[in-house]
């Protein structure tokens, strides 16, 4: 060995055992990183590891802050990664692992009470490096695999023993227990049982610590305040994002999720879950108010590095909380007590104590999601599996018939009581407020999916809120406007007959026509008109207005008047949304769920009767309307409306299958007259669509009337061709 080697080793050992004043954990770890991967002799490695384990800075009488202890995890991983990749002659990698493990075992055996916690970050760092090691030394090489496999099993056993000793002897040491919690979160593999590391009696302790560390009053997630007015120093931002809790918040949340899911069903554990949820709710409330007051958001400013870091931080918080709530909901849904599941889905009105408790928790969860909805909207309303799970299970508990009154009060509170000002000037200024409104609109839409319980006053309240938001021309957020439309369509399609009067229907139809085609597309207009038509025509109640017209006739005449007065040739944009955007993260069905089948309300349910089957010998429209010389290629037929008049009349055509038989032929003639009053290209398009409706979308009774009218009332095909030729 050269003279330089021993001198360097002596200096390192002396520094580790007797560090100079001012030496930090970072200094010690940097010495190790620059020396250990290149050690050539077994004895030297033993001496350095032993000296490090006795270093007073890292493992002295004064326990370092757990953030400093965490650095040991990072650097040990880097050391082992470097060792795996070093190509110059050094100790063999197998020998390297075995020597380090032997030193750790000897160190722990010397004094289990004092030394167990000290090796936890070292063993965790070694474990994190196994991915790179297995890539470079695959299991297909038996000579390496057998050695590493034995080392891994030995390291796992030592970690479990040391964790148990640490929990037993140091449960009151905050920094030690925080470090132990973090190493467990990093060490726990997917699918690995918690019971292999800690006992069920220790679950509450670890869970409380995890929640407090992330979301408590002094928790690390509270550092969101650094983003106030988006003027933080770049280095400070990086330090916040890279602190051990935020860096591994998903790992900590996954650990807490397992702890929630596996807690025993003792009353004290329910109280722990309730307190944990309350901690998250308190955090989300203050976060929401802070962001609304101090963070000026511009969702389109993706090029802003600071704003990008802000959204990264917010997304981590949302994902973390969703993981935590999954554990809470899973504990209830997947409970070992089968009786609870039976009670949850039972049609009886009996509510167990457990269900009552979890209903309380689910209200807190929904409120937490309400305050963080601005994050969900920023990443897209598509939702994700975990979010959908906690959202809909929570709604299922909160919307049960015997608790519907509480749900109504809850939703009213979220859109009132100084939480949100729904005036357009306030909403236009605040992205966070608009996201709150979107969340409540989602609750309203969910309410209409609960068919067993309905309330006139509450539905009137929903109608006015949704109508004001969808009708307001000064509200600039199209997402909120469309969500209001979606709620209104749910209102008209789900409320019982008679609750949505003709005045409400016509009032809403005026809004739709006024917003078409500038704000809503032709498809959206057709969807809305079909929904209104289904609602009106399924309940033919006499409407007294001096002329004794029915609701149906009043509605049809109103649409006919609008179509008749629409000017021809006014172009509309070809692009447009297929359906109104739902306020729900993921609707129970597709976006057209707002036009779902109405429940049977009487023996004259037009919608139910209108189910049909297509005829096998369907005539081809080109042959009927035109002679063979002028027959057009099917693929050249235009499918989408190009003018406002086409869009309005096409929406009217969607109502035809629901027109009652006693006035069916009369309205076929009126619609045909509308088509003939259009310009040349509009007539051709609308005639095609009219025939498609008559030939494909009618039940047998209406089809018979329509065919007779089409051929007999138009005299014959030749006469019809002459009329079309004049277009």
């Amino acid at each position: 060995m050269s003279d330089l080697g021993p001198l360097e080793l002596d200096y390192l050992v002396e520094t580790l055992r007797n560090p100079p004043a001012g030496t930090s954990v970072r200094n010690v770890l940097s010495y190790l990183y620059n020396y250990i991967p290149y050690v050539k002799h077994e004895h030297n490695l033993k001496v350095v590891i032993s000296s490090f384990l006795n270093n007073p800075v890292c493992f002295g009488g004064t326990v370092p802050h757990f953030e400093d202890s965490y650095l040991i995890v990072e650097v040990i991983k880097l050391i082992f990664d470097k060792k795996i990749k070093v190509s110059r002659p050094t100790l063999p990698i197998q020998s390297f692992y075995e020597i380090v493990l032997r030193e750790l075992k000897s160190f722990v055996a010397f004094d289990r009470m004092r030394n167990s916690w000290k090796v936890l970050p070292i063993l965790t760092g070694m474990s994190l490096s196994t991915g790179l090691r297995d890539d470079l030394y695959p299991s297909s090489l038996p000579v390496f695999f057998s050695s590493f496999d034995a080392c891994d099993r030995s390291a796992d056993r030592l970690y479990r023993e040391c964790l148990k000793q640490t929990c037993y002897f140091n449960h009151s040491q905050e920094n030690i227990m925080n470090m132990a919690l973090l190493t467990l979160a990093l060490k726990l593999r997917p699918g690995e049982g918690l019971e292999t590391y800690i006992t069920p009696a220790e679950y509450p302790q670890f869970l409380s610590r995890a929640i407090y560390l992330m979301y408590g009053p002094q928790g690390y997630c509270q550092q969101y305040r650094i983003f106030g007015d988006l003027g933080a120093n770049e280095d400070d931002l990086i330090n916040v994002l890279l602190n051990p809790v935020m860096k591994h918040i998903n790992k900590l949340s996954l650990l807490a999720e397992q702890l929630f899911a596996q807690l025993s069903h003792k009353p004290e554990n329910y109280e722990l879950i309730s307190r944990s949820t309350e901690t998250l709710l308190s955090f989300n409330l203050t976060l929401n108010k802070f962001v609304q007051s101090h963070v000026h958001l511009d969702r389109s400013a993706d090029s802003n590095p600071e704003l990008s870091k802000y959204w990264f931080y917010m997304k981590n918080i949302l994902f973390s909380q969703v993981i935590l709530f999954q554990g809470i909901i899973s504990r209830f849904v997947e409970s070992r007590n089968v009786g609870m599941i039976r009670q949850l889905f039972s049609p009886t009105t009996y509510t167990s104590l457990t269900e009552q408790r979890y209903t309380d928790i689910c209200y807190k969860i929904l409120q937490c999601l309400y305050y963080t909805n601005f994050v969900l909207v920023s990443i897209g309303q598509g939702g994700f599996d975990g979010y959908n799970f906690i959202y809909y299970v929570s709604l299922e508990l909160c919307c049960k018939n015997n608790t519907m009154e509480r749900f109504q009060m809850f939703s009213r509170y979220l859109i009132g009581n100084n939480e949100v000002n729904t005036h357009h000037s306030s909403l236009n200024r605040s992205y966070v407020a608009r996201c709150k409104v979107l969340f409540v609109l989602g609750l309203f839409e969910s309410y209409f999916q609960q068919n067993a319980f309905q309330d006139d006053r509450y539905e009137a309240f929903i109608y006015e809120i949704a109508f004001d938001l969808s009708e307001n021309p000064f509200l600039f957020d199209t997402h909120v406007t469309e969500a209001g439309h979606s709620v209104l369509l749910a209102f008209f399609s789900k409320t019982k007959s008679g609750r949505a009067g003709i005045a409400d229907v016509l009032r809403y139809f005026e809004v739709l026509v006024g917003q078409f085609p500038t704000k809503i597309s032709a498809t959206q207009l057709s969807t809305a008109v079909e929904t209104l038509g289904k609602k009106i025509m399924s309940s033919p109640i006499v409407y007294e207005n001096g002329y004794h017209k029915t609701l149906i006739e009043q509605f049809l005449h109103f649409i006919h008047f609008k179509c008749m007065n629409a000017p021809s040739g006014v172009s509309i944009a070809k692009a447009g949304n297929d359906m109104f955007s739902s306020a729900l993260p993921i609707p129970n069905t597709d976006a057209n769920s707002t036009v779902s089948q109405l429940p049977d309300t009487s023996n004259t349910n037009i919608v139910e009767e209108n189910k049909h089957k297509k005829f096998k010998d369907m005539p081809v429209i080109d042959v009927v309307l035109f002679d063979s010389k002028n027959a057009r290629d099917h693929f050249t037929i235009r499918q989408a409306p190009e003018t406002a008049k086409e869009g309005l009349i096409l929406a009217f055509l969607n109502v035809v299958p629901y027109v009652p038989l006693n006035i069916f032929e009369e309205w076929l003639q009126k619609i045909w007259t509308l088509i003939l009053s259009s310009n040349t290209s509009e007539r051709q398009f609308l005639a095609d669509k009219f025939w498609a409706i008559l030939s494909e979308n009618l039940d047998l009774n209406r089809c018979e009337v329509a065919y007779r009218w089409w051929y007999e009332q138009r005299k014959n095909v030749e006469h019809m061709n002459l009329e079309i030729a004049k277009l």
Side-chain angles (χ1 to χ4, degrees):
M1 186 179 295
S2 65
D3 292 339
L4 183 60
L7 291 175
E8 182 179 324
L9 177 62
D10 290 342
Y11 176 77
L12 176 61
V13 170
E14 177 61 23
T15 303
L16 290 174
R17 291 185 178 274
N18 301 293
T23 302
S24 66
V25 173
R26 291 178 181 270
N27 297 141
V28 173
L29 295 174
S30 67
Y31 301 152
L32 294 177
Y33 178 75
N34 289 306
Y35 183 84
I36 288 183
Y38 307 100
V39 173
K40 298 179 182 179
H41 302 285
E42 181 177 327
H43 174 73
N44 292 354
L45 181 59
K46 290 180 179 179
V47 171
V48 172
I49 295 297
S50 175
S51 301
F52 172 59
L53 291 170
N54 288 281
N55 178 262
V57 175
C58 296
F59 307 112
T62 302
V63 178
H65 193 274
F66 94 96
E67 285 191 43
D68 293 326
S69 298
Y70 166 76
L71 291 175
I72 298 173
V73 176
E74 293 275 10
V75 174
I76 291 296
K77 178 186 182 301
L78 291 174
I79 287 173
F80 274 77
D81 286 350
K82 188 73 172 179
K83 172 61 186 175
I84 292 168
K85 293 184 286 187
V86 166
S87 58
R88 69 181 67 179
T90 58
L91 278 173
I93 184 65
Q94 301 94 331
S95 301
F96 189 88
Y97 269 86
E98 292 168 356
I99 293 166
V100 172
L101 278 174
R102 281 202 301 268
E103 288 302 311
L104 295 178
K105 289 178 180 177
S106 299
F107 180 69
V108 171
F110 180 76
D111 192 337
R112 294 184 180 277
M113 182 179 73
R114 291 186 174 86
N115 293 344
S116 290
W117 69 270
K118 301 176 184 179
V119 304
L120 292 179
I122 300 174
L123 291 167
T124 303
M126 292 172 62
S127 175
L128 294 177
S129 180
T130 56
L132 176 63
R133 183 201 67 195
D134 292 341
D135 288 341
L136 297 179
Y137 297 91
S139 58
S140 57
L141 302 176
V143 62
F144 295 121
F145 175 73
S146 59
S147 177
F148 291 145
D149 188 49
C151 287
D152 290 344
R153 289 198 302 270
S154 179
D156 286 345
R157 283 195 300 270
L158 181 59
Y159 178 87
R160 288 193 290 270
E161 293 171 6
C162 291
L163 183 62
K164 291 177 182 178
Q165 295 292 333
T166 299
C167 295
Y168 183 78
F169 291 112
N170 300 281
H171 54 82
S172 61
Q173 291 281 342
E174 183 175 350
N175 281 314
I176 291 178
M177 290 305 297
N178 285 341
M179 184 269 298
L181 171 70
L182 190 57
T183 62
L184 177 58
L186 296 173
K187 190 81 169 57
L188 192 65
R189 302 181 184 91
E192 195 172 17
L194 279 172
E195 64 280 358
T196 60
Y197 293 100
I198 55 178
T199 63
E202 294 168 322
Y203 291 178
Q205 176 191 1
F206 272 81
L207 181 56
S208 297
R209 186 169 297 278
I211 298 297
Y212 184 84
L213 196 60
M214 291 185 284
Y215 295 105
Q218 306 302 319
Y220 280 79
C221 291
Q222 299 283 359
Q223 294 178 348
Y224 64 80
R225 291 179 174 83
I226 197 173
F227 292 100
D229 298 321
L230 296 176
N233 179 275
E234 181 72 16
D235 292 337
D236 292 338
L237 287 174
I238 293 174
N239 289 335
V240 166
L241 294 172
L242 293 182
N243 76 66
V245 172
M246 290 308 302
K247 185 175 181 179
H248 299 294
I249 190 169
N250 280 351
K251 292 277 190 180
L252 284 166
S253 301
L254 287 168
L255 171 61
E257 177 193 21
Q258 286 201 45
L259 292 167
F260 273 128
Q262 297 181 29
L263 283 175
S264 62
H265 292 276
K266 296 179 180 178
E268 55 267 30
N269 286 340
Y270 163 75
E271 295 298 330
L272 171 60
I273 294 173
S274 183
R275 287 196 308 271
S276 300
T277 313
E278 194 66 46
T279 298
L280 290 168
L281 179 56
S282 176
F283 170 86
N284 287 356
L285 173 61
T286 55
L287 168 68
N288 187 277
K289 290 183 176 180
F290 179 85
V291 173
Q292 190 164 354
S293 302
H294 296 89
V295 183
H296 304 293
L297 300 177
D298 180 3
R299 286 180 287 172
S300 64
D302 294 331
S303 59
N304 185 332
E306 192 173 335
L307 189 60
S308 176
K309 292 182 177 66
Y310 165 81
W311 282 120
F312 176 77
Y313 190 93
M314 291 296 109
K315 289 173 189 175
N316 277 340
I317 287 177
L318 177 62
F319 293 158
S320 163
Q321 293 191 12
V322 167
I323 292 171
L324 296 175
F325 294 143
Q326 279 183 153
I328 295 173
I329 299 296
S330 296
R331 182 176 184 267
F332 178 67
V333 176
E334 299 176 1
S335 170
R336 295 185 184 91
N337 186 351
V338 180
M340 276 193 288
I341 298 180
R342 290 176 179 170
Q343 291 167 11
L344 174 61
F345 299 104
S346 172
T348 64
T349 58
Y350 173 76
T351 304
S352 68
L353 176 61
T354 303
E355 186 176 320
Q356 290 179 14
R357 288 172 170 174
Y358 272 90
T359 299
D360 293 341
I361 290 174
C362 285
Y363 274 109
K364 294 177 185 177
I365 291 175
L366 287 177
Q367 200 166 354
C368 284
L369 300 181
Y370 166 77
Y371 286 124
T372 55
N373 197 47
F374 72 96
V375 185
L376 181 70
V377 173
S378 76
I379 63 178
Q381 278 292 83
F384 47 97
D385 290 343
Y387 189 97
N388 299 333
F389 170 68
I390 62 174
Y391 181 81
Y392 282 109
V393 173
S394 296
L395 277 177
E396 184 178 10
L397 274 175
C398 295
C399 289
K400 292 176 74 68
N401 288 345
N402 55 336
T403 61
M404 189 58 77
E405 184 177 352
R406 181 180 177 184
F407 177 79
Q408 294 175 6
M409 294 175 60
F410 174 73
S411 59
R412 285 174 181 266
Y413 169 81
L414 294 184
I415 205 162
N417 292 350
N418 298 321
E419 279 290 353
V420 176
N421 182 350
T422 55
H423 191 270
H424 63 265
S425 61
S426 176
L427 293 181
N428 286 336
R429 289 194 304 268
S430 176
Y431 165 66
V432 175
R434 296 197 299 273
C435 292
K436 287 180 175 179
V437 170
L438 282 172
F439 187 87
V440 180
L441 290 176
L443 296 182
F444 290 162
E445 199 167 325
S446 297
Y447 167 85
F448 289 113
Q449 296 171 1
Q450 313 298 318
N451 293 325
F453 186 96
Q454 293 182 326
D455 181 272
D456 288 344
R457 289 189 301 172
Y458 181 64
E459 289 170 7
F461 168 78
I462 292 176
Y463 173 82
E464 290 301 328
I465 292 288
F467 184 86
D468 289 344
L469 291 171
S470 60
E471 178 269 345
N472 196 320
F474 304 106
L475 182 60
F476 303 141
D477 193 322
T478 56
H479 197 175
V480 175
T481 300
E482 289 203 9
H485 280 295
S486 187
V487 172
L488 287 173
L489 295 183
F491 168 81
F492 284 113
S493 65
K494 291 293 187 179
T495 51
K496 290 182 179 179
S497 299
R499 290 188 178 177
I502 189 65
D504 290 335
V505 172
L506 300 185
R507 180 188 181 202
Y508 180 49
F509 185 76
E510 283 278 12
V511 173
L512 293 168
V513 174
Q515 293 182 354
F516 173 75
T518 55
K519 283 191 174 183
I520 65 175
S521 68
T523 303
Q524 290 171 330
L525 177 67
S526 293
T527 300
V529 171
E530 183 178 0
T531 301
L532 299 176
K534 283 182 177 181
K535 184 62 192 175
I536 290 297
M537 296 182 201
S538 64
S539 54
I541 302 171
V542 174
Y543 180 73
E544 299 291 345
N545 65 350
Y547 298 99
H548 300 285
K549 293 181 180 179
T550 65
L551 287 171
I552 294 174
E553 290 175 305
Q554 183 85 348
F555 177 68
L556 292 174
H557 278 290
F558 195 82
I559 300 178
H560 181 265
F561 178 79
K562 292 295 182 180
C563 293
M564 186 172 58
N565 287 278
S568 295
V570 179
S571 299
I572 60 175
K574 292 185 179 180
N577 297 327
D578 289 337
M579 293 294 171
F580 289 113
S581 298
S582 172
L584 294 167
I586 285 287
N588 282 344
T589 58
D590 207 351
N592 61 357
S593 61
T594 53
V595 202
S596 57
Q597 290 283 323
L598 295 170
D600 290 333
T601 56
S602 69
N603 295 327
T604 58
N605 191 325
I606 305 292
V607 176
E608 187 63 27
E609 293 175 0
N610 195 46
K611 294 181 178 179
H612 64 277
K613 295 181 180 180
K614 294 182 180 180
F615 293 98
K616 295 181 180 180
D617 55 345
M618 189 72 68
V620 180
I621 185 170
D622 291 332
V623 177
V624 174
L625 291 179
F626 306 97
D627 56 35
S628 58
K629 290 189 295 182
N630 296 322
R632 295 161 295 148
D633 189 321
H634 169 75
F635 295 102
T636 65
I637 298 176
R638 182 158 55 90
Q639 298 299 320
E642 294 179 349
T643 68
K645 187 162 189 174
E646 287 179 349
L648 277 170
I649 296 178
L650 185 60
F652 196 3
L653 294 181
N654 287 337
V655 179
V656 169
Y658 313 112
V659 175
L661 275 169
N662 62 325
I663 57 173
F664 187 67
E665 189 170 334
E666 171 190 349
W667 280 98
L668 292 181
Q669 185 61 46
K670 288 179 181 291
I671 292 172
W672 182 248
T673 304
L674 280 176
I675 293 173
L676 293 179
S677 68
S678 305
N679 65 28
T680 304
S681 63
E682 289 173 341
R683 289 177 206 162
Q684 187 64 72
F685 171 77
L686 293 170
D688 289 351
K689 292 299 181 182
F690 192 30
W691 174 251
I693 292 288
L694 299 182
S695 59
E696 297 180 16
N697 292 359
L698 301 182
D699 60 25
L700 292 174
N701 292 332
R702 286 173 181 78
C703 193
E704 181 182 353
V705 175
Y707 275 27
R708 185 177 64 249
W709 172 84
W710 185 261
Y711 291 106
E712 295 180 4
Q713 294 299 318
R714 304 317 306 156
K715 302 302 182 182
N716 51 50
V717 174
E718 288 75 16
H719 178 70
M720 183 180 61
N721 285 340
L722 290 175
E723 287 190 285
I724 296 297
K726 296 176 184 177
L727 304 180

